[in-house]
Amino acid sequence: MRGLRTHHAGGAGRGRGPVKPFAYQVPGDAAAAVRTVADDTTAVFLAGGTNLVDHLKLGIVAPELVVDITHLTSDEITDNAGGLRIGAAVRNSDLAADRRVRERYPTLAQALLAGASGQLRNMATTGGNPLQRTRCVYFQDVSTPCNKRIPGSGCSAIGGSTRGMAVLGASEHCIATHPSDMAVALAALAAQVRVLGPAGERTVPFVELHRLPGEYPERDTVLEHGELVLGIDLPDLPMARNSCYRKVRDRASYAFALVSVAAALDIEDGVVRDARVAFGGVAHKPWRAYRAEDALRGVTASEDAFRAAAEAELADARPQPGVDGGNAFKIPLLTRTLVATLRDLSRKE
């Protein structure tokens, strides 16, 4: 171990009181970090800290030990079997600026640039961004019941302010949405997540990384406590060169998506040979739109076909009523957003 010291954090988060003091540790390598966190249920990893620090200030989390992994995983982007291997410590700003990403996976570069301010992108990491908490305004407010913060306490969002809530895959226990733009693009690209745990390394398909809330909304991902993301692999996917990310939000700067679409399209002689589609802002996890993809393959590229694909994917969508008018608007909004995205891609092709 490089050292262990106690950090007595001061200050208050929106009047909630001072941050609870915690121990701060910098292990010598990733394996040591994994062992340390796995052996302590009160321990958490720290990299960029853009989500964790907010939640410390708000009193949402109160770890007794913070394990700094900033320099324990790779910060390099390397070619890998026709695709790219992205180290977990690669900053979002560096990933978005990489020429290989911009040329071969433009949907990812665009999603990263749509995701946050430049200051946050300079801190946020490849490993941390997708693991930010699925959340809503009630999760952020510790004075309200929230099943994600305190399982079994209730979901304040149901029947409350639901404008930004889920229309796909929600449950009676949670209707929050996952906020990451980057994660939507990674879902569309069929990325793979490399993970290190106490039992060794394993690979998790990105589309399987996040969970729907079900009866256990406090669990956002399939990762076990103490498992550490080492990096993310992008596959060799030629059609990803013809891809893009479109985000619809209430304001043009630094807002979570009301709806978003990451898509890639492969067209030959006006016919869709293949498609990749994922949605953001509408579910507890980045939503891979398999039904839409199936509906697109083999059809003539047209707005009617694109609209039919959206309708197929959204057939099971369930809008949430709320004191603010609810979020039924998300269904036609997402339909129009997908149609516009695919139309633009078909013209480029």
Side-chain angles (χ1 to χ4, degrees):
M1 301 291 178
R2 295 185 190 172
L4 173 64
R5 59 186 182 272
T6 301
H7 173 76
H8 296 282
R14 299 186 188 178
R16 303 297 184 197
V19 174
K20 178 183 174 183
F22 52 82
Y24 172 84
Q25 189 168 331
V26 185
D29 55 38
V34 166
R35 289 194 299 271
T36 299
V37 173
D39 290 342
D40 186 344
T41 58
T42 70
V44 296
F45 293 122
L46 169 69
T50 56
N51 197 210
L52 176 62
V53 172
D54 276 350
H55 291 169
L56 286 169
K57 292 178 178 179
L58 292 170
I60 295 170
V61 294
E64 295 183 7
L65 173 62
V66 172
V67 177
D68 193 332
I69 57 167
T70 306
H71 303 294
L72 303 184
T73 58
S74 172
D75 62 357
E76 297 183 352
I77 306 169
T78 57
D79 290 298
N80 179 51
L84 290 178
R85 171 157 290 185
I86 307 164
V90 173
R91 304 291 176 172
N92 285 181
S93 53
D94 293 331
L95 185 58
D98 188 276
R99 178 173 295 180
R100 293 163 295 181
V101 174
R102 290 186 285 115
E103 292 179 353
R104 291 150 60 179
Y105 308 95
T107 185
L108 177 57
Q110 293 166 16
L112 288 162
L113 294 174
S117 67
Q119 295 92 329
L120 286 174
R121 291 196 299 272
N122 286 339
M123 289 299 297
T125 62
T126 294
N129 182 304
L131 298 185
Q132 61 184 291
R133 294 301 307 271
T134 298
R135 59 195 187 272
C136 71
V137 293
Y138 298 101
F139 173 81
Q140 303 279 92
D141 183 353
V142 295
S143 69
T144 63
C146 172
N147 287 322
K148 293 186 75 65
R149 278 188 283 103
I150 305 175
S153 63
C155 177
S156 297
I158 295 176
S161 177
T162 60
R163 175 177 173 80
M165 303 301 174
V167 296
L168 292 167
S171 77
E172 62 181 347
H173 302 285
C174 182
I175 58 173
T177 57
H178 195 275
S180 172
D181 296 287
M182 175 189 185
V184 181
L186 292 174
L189 295 171
Q192 300 283 320
V193 185
R194 295 181 295 110
V195 177
L196 176 65
E201 290 191 31
R202 68 181 179 121
T203 299
V204 180
F206 193 87
V207 292
E208 298 175 11
L209 177 65
H210 299 89
R211 298 179 63 258
L212 292 178
E215 297 183 358
Y216 304 101
E218 68 274 16
R219 290 197 63 191
D220 290 343
T221 73
V222 300
L223 298 184
E224 299 296 333
H225 181 72
E227 286 194 304
L228 174 66
V229 173
L230 297 178
I232 294 178
D233 291 344
L234 298 178
D236 181 8
L237 189 66
M239 67 181 292
R241 291 179 178 271
N242 186 42
S243 67
C244 69
Y245 184 75
R246 187 183 296 257
K247 179 177 182 178
V248 181
R249 46 191 163 178
D250 280 326
R251 61 182 188 273
S253 62
Y254 321 141
F256 292 152
L258 290 171
V259 302
S260 67
V261 172
L265 210 54
D266 178 10
I267 297 177
E268 184 175 14
D269 297 329
V271 175
V272 178
R273 295 200 307 177
D274 200 2
R276 295 289 177 87
V277 180
F279 297 153
V282 293
H284 193 265
K285 58 182 287 184
W287 188 269
R288 180 71 179 270
Y290 290 110
R291 290 182 182 177
E293 293 175 2
D294 290 342
L296 287 167
R297 293 186 183 100
V299 302
T300 300
S302 68
E303 291 199 15
D304 287 342
F306 302 154
R307 189 171 296 105
E311 291 170 352
E313 190 63 47
L314 295 172
D316 293 333
R318 297 292 180 266
Q320 301 290 333
V323 295
D324 54 0
N327 65 358
F329 72 92
K330 283 195 173 188
I331 297 174
L333 178 61
L334 183 54
T335 299
R336 293 194 297 270
T337 303
L338 178 61
V339 170
T341 303
L342 296 178
R343 181 187 62 222
D344 289 351
L345 289 176
S346 65
R347 289 173 177 172
K348 290 180 181 178
E349 186 78 0

Coordinates of all heavy atoms in Angstrom, one line a residue, residues 72-126:
L72 N -4.4 3.6 -11.1 CA -4.3 2.2 -11.0 C -4.8 1.5 -12.3 O -4.6 0.3 -12.4 CB -5.0 1.6 -9.8 CG -4.5 2.2 -8.5 CD1 -5.2 1.5 -7.3 CD2 -3.0 2.1 -8.3
T73 N -5.5 2.2 -13.1 CA -6.0 1.6 -14.4 C -5.4 2.4 -15.6 O -4.9 3.5 -15.4 CB -7.5 1.5 -14.5 OG1 -8.0 2.9 -14.3 CG2 -8.1 0.7 -13.4
S74 N -5.5 1.8 -16.8 CA -4.9 2.4 -17.9 C -5.6 3.7 -18.3 O -6.8 3.8 -18.3 CB -4.9 1.4 -19.1 OG -4.5 2.1 -20.3
D75 N -4.8 4.7 -18.8 CA -5.3 5.9 -19.4 C -5.0 6.0 -20.9 O -4.9 7.1 -21.4 CB -4.8 7.1 -18.6 CG -3.3 7.3 -18.7 OD1 -2.7 6.4 -19.3 OD2 -2.8 8.3 -18.2
E76 N -4.9 4.8 -21.5 CA -4.5 4.8 -22.9 C -5.7 4.3 -23.8 O -6.5 3.5 -23.3 CB -3.3 3.9 -23.1 CG -2.0 4.5 -22.4 CD -0.8 3.6 -22.7 OE1 -1.0 2.5 -23.3 OE2 0.3 4.0 -22.4
I77 N -5.7 4.7 -25.0 CA -6.6 4.2 -26.0 C -5.8 3.5 -27.1 O -4.9 4.1 -27.7 CB -7.4 5.3 -26.7 CG1 -8.1 6.2 -25.6 CG2 -8.4 4.7 -27.7 CD1 -8.7 7.5 -26.2
T78 N -6.0 2.2 -27.3 CA -5.1 1.4 -28.2 C -6.0 0.6 -29.2 O -7.1 0.3 -28.9 CB -4.2 0.4 -27.4 OG1 -5.1 -0.5 -26.6 CG2 -3.3 1.1 -26.5
D79 N -5.4 0.4 -30.3 CA -6.1 -0.5 -31.3 C -6.1 -1.9 -30.8 O -5.2 -2.4 -30.2 CB -5.3 -0.4 -32.7 CG -5.5 1.0 -33.3 OD1 -6.6 1.4 -33.6 OD2 -4.5 1.6 -33.5
N80 N -7.3 -2.6 -31.1 CA -7.5 -3.9 -30.6 C -8.4 -4.7 -31.5 O -9.6 -4.5 -31.5 CB -8.1 -3.8 -29.2 CG -8.4 -5.1 -28.5 OD1 -7.5 -6.0 -28.5 ND2 -9.7 -5.3 -28.1
A81 N -7.8 -5.6 -32.3 CA -8.5 -6.5 -33.1 C -9.5 -5.8 -34.0 O -10.7 -6.2 -34.2 CB -9.3 -7.6 -32.3
G82 N -9.1 -4.7 -34.6 CA -9.9 -3.9 -35.5 C -10.8 -2.9 -34.8 O -11.4 -2.0 -35.4
G83 N -10.9 -3.0 -33.5 CA -11.6 -2.0 -32.7 C -10.7 -1.2 -31.8 O -9.6 -1.0 -32.2
L84 N -11.2 -0.8 -30.7 CA -10.4 0.1 -29.8 C -10.5 -0.5 -28.3 O -11.6 -0.9 -27.9 CB -10.8 1.5 -29.8 CG -10.6 2.3 -31.0 CD1 -11.1 3.7 -30.9 CD2 -9.1 2.4 -31.3
R85 N -9.4 -0.5 -27.6 CA -9.4 -0.8 -26.2 C -9.2 0.5 -25.4 O -8.2 1.2 -25.6 CB -8.3 -1.8 -25.8 CG -8.1 -2.0 -24.4 CD -7.5 -3.4 -24.1 NE -8.5 -4.5 -24.3 CZ -8.2 -5.7 -24.1 NH1 -7.0 -6.1 -23.5 NH2 -9.1 -6.7 -24.3
I86 N -10.2 0.9 -24.6 CA -10.1 2.1 -23.9 C -9.9 1.9 -22.4 O -10.7 1.2 -21.7 CB -11.5 2.9 -24.0 CG1 -11.8 3.0 -25.5 CG2 -11.4 4.3 -23.4 CD1 -13.3 3.4 -25.8
G87 N -8.8 2.4 -21.8 CA -8.5 2.2 -20.4 C -9.6 2.9 -19.6 O -10.1 4.0 -19.9
A88 N -9.8 2.4 -18.4 CA -10.8 3.0 -17.5 C -10.5 4.4 -17.1 O -11.4 5.2 -16.7 CB -11.0 2.1 -16.3
A89 N -9.2 4.7 -17.0 CA -8.8 6.0 -16.5 C -8.8 7.1 -17.6 O -8.4 8.3 -17.4 CB -7.4 5.9 -15.9
V90 N -9.1 6.7 -18.9 CA -9.1 7.7 -20.0 C -10.2 8.7 -19.7 O -11.4 8.4 -19.4 CB -9.4 7.0 -21.3 CG1 -9.7 8.1 -22.4 CG2 -8.3 6.1 -21.7
R91 N -9.9 10.0 -19.7 CA -10.8 11.1 -19.4 C -11.8 11.2 -20.6 O -11.5 11.0 -21.7 CB -10.1 12.4 -19.2 CG -9.1 12.3 -18.0 CD -9.7 12.2 -16.7 NE -8.7 12.0 -15.6 CZ -9.0 12.0 -14.3 NH1 -10.2 12.2 -13.9 NH2 -8.0 11.9 -13.4
N92 N -13.0 11.6 -20.2 CA -14.0 11.8 -21.3 C -13.6 12.8 -22.4 O -13.9 12.6 -23.5 CB -15.4 12.2 -20.7 CG -16.1 11.1 -19.9 OD1 -17.2 11.4 -19.4 ND2 -15.5 9.9 -19.9
S93 N -12.9 13.8 -22.0 CA -12.5 14.8 -22.9 C -11.5 14.2 -23.9 O -11.5 14.5 -25.1 CB -11.9 16.1 -22.2 OG -10.9 15.7 -21.3
D94 N -10.5 13.4 -23.4 CA -9.5 12.8 -24.2 C -10.2 11.8 -25.2 O -9.8 11.7 -26.4 CB -8.5 12.1 -23.4 CG -7.6 13.1 -22.6 OD1 -7.5 14.2 -23.1 OD2 -7.2 12.7 -21.5
L95 N -11.1 11.0 -24.7 CA -11.8 10.0 -25.5 C -12.6 10.7 -26.7 O -12.5 10.3 -27.8 CB -12.8 9.2 -24.7 CG -13.5 8.0 -25.4 CD1 -12.4 7.1 -26.0 CD2 -14.4 7.3 -24.4
A96 N -13.3 11.8 -26.3 CA -14.1 12.5 -27.4 C -13.2 13.1 -28.4 O -13.6 13.3 -29.6 CB -14.9 13.6 -26.7
A97 N -12.0 13.5 -28.0 CA -11.1 14.2 -29.0 C -10.2 13.2 -29.8 O -9.6 13.6 -30.8 CB -10.1 15.1 -28.2
D98 N -10.2 11.9 -29.5 CA -9.4 11.0 -30.2 C -9.8 10.8 -31.6 O -11.0 10.6 -31.9 CB -9.4 9.6 -29.4 CG -8.4 8.6 -30.0 OD1 -8.7 8.0 -31.0 OD2 -7.3 8.5 -29.5
R99 N -8.9 11.0 -32.6 CA -9.3 10.9 -34.0 C -9.9 9.6 -34.4 O -10.9 9.5 -35.1 CB -8.0 11.2 -34.8 CG -8.3 11.1 -36.3 CD -7.1 11.6 -37.2 NE -6.8 13.0 -36.9 CZ -5.8 13.6 -37.5 NH1 -5.0 12.9 -38.4 NH2 -5.6 14.9 -37.3
R100 N -9.4 8.5 -33.8 CA -10.0 7.2 -34.1 C -11.4 7.1 -33.7 O -12.3 6.5 -34.4 CB -9.1 6.1 -33.5 CG -7.7 6.0 -34.1 CD -6.8 5.2 -33.2 NE -6.6 5.8 -31.9 CZ -5.9 5.4 -30.9 NH1 -5.2 4.2 -31.1 NH2 -5.7 6.0 -29.8
V101 N -11.7 7.6 -32.5 CA -13.1 7.6 -32.0 C -14.0 8.5 -32.9 O -15.1 8.1 -33.3 CB -13.1 8.1 -30.6 CG1 -14.6 8.2 -30.1 CG2 -12.4 7.1 -29.7
R102 N -13.5 9.7 -33.2 CA -14.3 10.6 -34.1 C -14.6 10.0 -35.5 O -15.7 10.2 -36.0 CB -13.6 11.9 -34.2 CG -13.6 12.7 -32.8 CD -13.1 14.1 -33.0 NE -11.7 14.2 -33.1 CZ -11.0 14.6 -34.1 NH1 -11.6 15.0 -35.2 NH2 -9.7 14.6 -34.1
E103 N -13.6 9.3 -36.0 CA -13.8 8.8 -37.4 C -14.5 7.5 -37.4 O -15.4 7.2 -38.3 CB -12.4 8.6 -38.0 CG -11.7 10.0 -38.3 CD -10.4 9.8 -38.9 OE1 -9.9 8.6 -39.0 OE2 -9.8 10.8 -39.3
R104 N -14.2 6.6 -36.5 CA -14.8 5.2 -36.5 C -16.0 5.0 -35.6 O -16.8 4.1 -35.9 CB -13.7 4.2 -36.1 CG -12.6 4.1 -37.1 CD -11.2 3.8 -36.6 NE -11.2 2.5 -35.9 CZ -10.1 2.0 -35.3 NH1 -8.9 2.7 -35.4 NH2 -10.1 0.9 -34.7
Y105 N -16.2 5.9 -34.6 CA -17.3 5.8 -33.7 C -17.9 7.2 -33.4 O -17.9 7.6 -32.2 CB -16.9 5.0 -32.4 CG -16.2 3.7 -32.6 CD1 -14.8 3.7 -32.6 CD2 -16.9 2.5 -32.8 CE1 -14.1 2.5 -32.8 CE2 -16.3 1.3 -33.0 CZ -14.9 1.3 -33.0 OH -14.2 0.1 -33.2
P106 N -18.3 7.9 -34.4 CA -18.8 9.3 -34.1 C -19.9 9.4 -33.1 O -20.0 10.4 -32.4 CB -19.2 9.8 -35.5 CG -19.3 8.6 -36.4 CD -18.4 7.6 -35.8
T107 N -20.8 8.4 -33.0 CA -21.8 8.5 -32.1 C -21.3 8.6 -30.7 O -21.9 9.3 -29.8 CB -22.8 7.3 -32.2 OG1 -23.9 7.4 -31.3 CG2 -22.1 5.9 -31.9
L108 N -20.2 7.9 -30.4 CA -19.6 8.0 -29.0 C -19.0 9.4 -28.8 O -19.2 9.9 -27.7 CB -18.5 6.9 -28.9 CG -17.8 6.9 -27.6 CD1 -18.7 6.8 -26.4 CD2 -16.7 5.7 -27.5
A109 N -18.2 9.9 -29.7 CA -17.6 11.2 -29.6 C -18.7 12.3 -29.4 O -18.6 13.1 -28.5 CB -16.8 11.6 -30.8
Q110 N -19.8 12.2 -30.1 CA -20.9 13.2 -30.0 C -21.6 13.0 -28.7 O -22.0 14.0 -28.1 CB -21.9 13.0 -31.2 CG -21.3 13.3 -32.5 CD -22.1 12.9 -33.7 OE1 -23.3 12.5 -33.5 NE2 -21.5 12.8 -34.9
A111 N -21.8 11.8 -28.2 CA -22.5 11.6 -26.9 C -21.6 12.2 -25.8 O -22.2 12.8 -24.9 CB -22.7 10.1 -26.7
L112 N -20.3 12.0 -25.8 CA -19.5 12.5 -24.8 C -19.5 14.0 -24.8 O -19.6 14.7 -23.7 CB -18.0 12.1 -25.0 CG -17.8 10.6 -24.7 CD1 -16.5 10.2 -25.4 CD2 -17.7 10.4 -23.2
L113 N -19.5 14.7 -25.9 CA -19.6 16.1 -26.0 C -20.9 16.7 -25.6 O -21.0 17.8 -25.1 CB -19.2 16.6 -27.4 CG -17.8 16.3 -27.9 CD1 -17.6 16.7 -29.3 CD2 -16.8 17.1 -27.0
A114 N -22.0 15.9 -25.7 CA -23.3 16.3 -25.3 C -23.5 16.1 -23.8 O -24.5 16.6 -23.3 CB -24.4 15.5 -26.1
G115 N -22.6 15.4 -23.2 CA -22.9 14.9 -21.8 C -22.7 15.9 -20.7 O -23.4 15.8 -19.7
A116 N -21.8 16.8 -20.8 CA -21.5 17.7 -19.6 C -20.6 18.8 -20.1 O -20.3 19.0 -21.2 CB -20.7 16.8 -18.6
S117 N -20.3 19.7 -19.1 CA -19.4 20.8 -19.4 C -18.0 20.3 -19.6 O -17.6 19.2 -19.3 CB -19.4 21.8 -18.2 OG -18.8 21.1 -17.0
G118 N -17.2 21.2 -20.2 CA -15.8 20.8 -20.4 C -15.0 20.5 -19.1 O -14.2 19.6 -19.1
Q119 N -15.3 21.2 -18.1 CA -14.7 20.9 -16.8 C -15.0 19.5 -16.3 O -14.1 18.8 -15.8 CB -15.1 22.0 -15.7 CG -14.7 23.4 -16.0 CD -15.7 24.2 -16.8 OE1 -16.5 23.6 -17.6 NE2 -15.8 25.5 -16.6
L120 N -16.2 19.1 -16.4 CA -16.6 17.7 -16.0 C -16.0 16.7 -16.9 O -15.5 15.6 -16.4 CB -18.1 17.6 -15.9 CG -18.8 18.3 -14.8 CD1 -20.3 18.2 -15.0 CD2 -18.4 17.7 -13.4
R121 N -16.0 16.9 -18.2 CA -15.4 16.0 -19.1 C -13.9 15.8 -18.8 O -13.3 14.7 -19.1 CB -15.6 16.4 -20.6 CG -17.0 16.3 -21.0 CD -17.2 16.3 -22.5 NE -16.7 17.5 -23.1 CZ -17.4 18.6 -23.3 NH1 -18.6 18.7 -22.9 NH2 -16.8 19.7 -23.9
N122 N -13.2 16.9 -18.4 CA -11.8 16.8 -18.0 C -11.5 15.9 -16.8 O -10.4 15.4 -16.6 CB -11.2 18.2 -17.8 CG -11.0 18.9 -19.1 OD1 -11.0 18.3 -20.2 ND2 -11.0 20.2 -19.0
M123 N -12.6 15.7 -16.0 CA -12.4 14.9 -14.8 C -13.0 13.5 -14.9 O -12.4 12.5 -14.4 CB -13.1 15.6 -13.6 CG -12.4 16.8 -13.1 SD -10.7 16.5 -12.5 CE -11.0 15.4 -11.1
A124 N -14.2 13.4 -15.6 CA -14.9 12.1 -15.6 C -14.1 11.1 -16.4 O -13.4 11.4 -17.4 CB -16.3 12.3 -16.3
T125 N -14.2 9.8 -16.1 CA -13.4 8.8 -16.7 C -14.3 7.8 -17.4 O -15.5 7.7 -17.2 CB -12.6 8.0 -15.6 OG1 -13.6 7.4 -14.7 CG2 -11.7 8.9 -14.8
T126 N -13.7 7.0 -18.3 CA -14.3 6.0 -19.1 C -15.0 4.9 -18.2 O -16.1 4.4 -18.4 CB -13.4 5.3 -20.0 OG1 -12.9 6.3 -21.0 CG2 -14.0 4.1 -20.7

